[in-house]
Amino acid sequence: MNPVINVEGVVTRFGERTIHDGINLHIDENEIYAILGESGSGKSVLMKEMIMLLEPTAGEVTVLGKILSEINFDDAQALRSDWGVLFQFGALYSSLTIAENIEVQLKEYTKISQSMRNKLVRSKLALVGLEAHVGALYPSQLSGGMVKRAALARALAMEPKLLFLDEPTSGLDPIGARNFDALIVELRDLLGITVVMITHDLESIFSIVDRLAVLADKQVVAEGSLENVLQSQHPFVEEFFKNEYTKERFKDKVKDV
């Protein structure tokens, strides 16, 4: 089976500063894949390279069979409609209602009527657990958890094959975070999408992630299932996963490490 995303030998430099020095990883269809790493390891940079907001200095990123460094304008536009992105703080347009936020891509990439757009907006709101009346509200009128769900509804507007999430549970209370995790799993199973998420949330990592990559020292220092990653002896992996709090909180999963 070919991966839906393949990153091969990616080098990223900003001036004299090297962020990535030979990143290799692959993401398979229909999995929830996490990217984590130490501060400054380039997690968000890597995600931006996957969604064509940045271009790596060297190496190749292939998404849904398209090599991004070789893609033409029309194919790039088509590919963008195959993914949805939830940025860390939602990134909703503050001057637009929630319904108008969800409609942005529908207006840009489709020719469907206003009445059909209204139906799609309501369906996307329902999909993420928001009532129809929320569509008439502005982002400033929503709680943090509702903003995340509204931004997720927007990310799902075009029925994407890929869903990118940047720290999806940050800023949420523990109950809200776990409810959001459950929503991600439900959407993956219902829609058959592939989810790529940047996260440091241990609860998410231990409960919903299928595979993950750990970035440190400008490279991927561990990749695979949680069981595989926990075998790594890299200092960052040791510090992140094998401290006393983590061992106690998740003792059923790290007891043999």
Side-chain angles (χ1 to χ4, degrees):
M1 180 176 64
N2 293 326
V4 295
I5 299 177
N6 192 59
V7 177
E8 186 173 358
V10 161
V11 176
T12 308
R13 296 192 185 98
F14 297 120
E16 296 183 357
R17 184 185 177 201
T18 299
I19 307 298
H20 304 137
D21 190 12
I23 295 285
N24 296 287
L25 59 83
H26 74 276
I27 300 168
D28 295 325
E29 185 177 9
N30 202 220
E31 70 178 351
I32 298 176
Y33 187 97
I35 300 171
L36 62 143
E38 58 190 358
S39 179
S41 61
K43 302 177 294 296
S44 294
V45 169
L46 182 59
M47 181 175 284
K48 287 177 181 177
E49 290 170 342
M50 292 179 183
I51 59 175
M52 295 190 288
L53 291 180
L54 288 173
E55 187 174 342
T57 308
E60 297 288 2
V61 179
T62 304
V63 179
L64 296 173
K66 302 290 186 180
I67 300 174
L68 300 188
S69 63
E70 300 175 358
I71 199 167
N72 61 42
F73 177 81
D74 289 339
D75 285 346
Q77 290 294 89
L79 189 57
R80 287 187 179 97
S81 69
D82 279 334
W83 63 57
V85 184
L86 172 58
F87 294 101
Q88 184 171 355
F89 300 108
L92 295 172
Y93 297 110
S94 60
S95 61
L96 301 181
T97 66
I98 299 306
E100 290 168 339
N101 267 278
I102 297 171
E103 278 188 294
V104 168
Q105 283 189 303
L106 296 173
K107 287 182 175 180
E108 182 175 355
Y109 292 107
T110 76
K111 296 180 180 180
I112 60 177
S113 66
Q114 180 65 60
S115 62
M116 181 57 72
R117 290 203 301 270
N118 292 341
K119 291 179 181 178
L120 285 171
V121 166
R122 289 194 295 271
S123 72
K124 299 308 176 186
L125 288 171
L127 193 61
V128 300
L130 293 175
E131 296 182 5
H133 73 85
V134 173
L137 302 178
Y138 288 87
S140 61
Q141 297 174 291
L142 304 186
S143 67
M146 292 175 73
V147 166
K148 293 272 189 180
R149 287 175 181 262
L152 182 58
R154 183 179 65 178
L156 294 170
M158 296 291 292
E159 301 186 359
K161 299 174 183 176
L162 292 167
L163 183 61
F164 293 92
L165 311 174
D166 189 357
E167 298 284 3
T169 59
S170 68
L172 300 181
D173 62 75
I175 294 175
R178 302 295 66 82
N179 287 340
F180 202 85
D181 277 347
L183 175 61
I184 295 304
V185 174
E186 183 180 355
L187 290 173
R188 187 273 305 269
D189 294 343
L190 178 66
L191 304 177
I193 56 178
T194 302
V195 179
V196 183
M197 58 191 295
I198 296 173
T199 186
H200 287 106
D201 189 330
L202 283 166
E203 291 278 0
S204 299
I205 293 167
F206 277 94
S207 61
I208 72 168
V209 168
D210 297 309
R211 291 195 311 120
L212 62 153
V214 182
L215 304 188
D217 300 331
K218 306 174 184 177
Q219 297 181 331
V220 174
V221 297
E223 187 195 20
S225 67
L226 180 61
E227 181 181 3
N228 290 338
V229 168
L230 289 174
Q231 302 303 316
S232 171
Q233 297 181 346
H234 188 276
F236 176 77
V237 177
E238 293 272 355
E239 181 180 0
F240 189 82
F241 286 106
K242 301 175 187 179
N243 56 69
E244 291 307 312
Y245 166 79
T246 306
K247 286 181 178 180
E248 177 60 28
R249 178 66 183 83
F250 302 98
K251 54 188 175 184
D252 59 322
K253 296 184 178 178
V254 298
K255 60 186 178 181
D256 296 326
V257 178

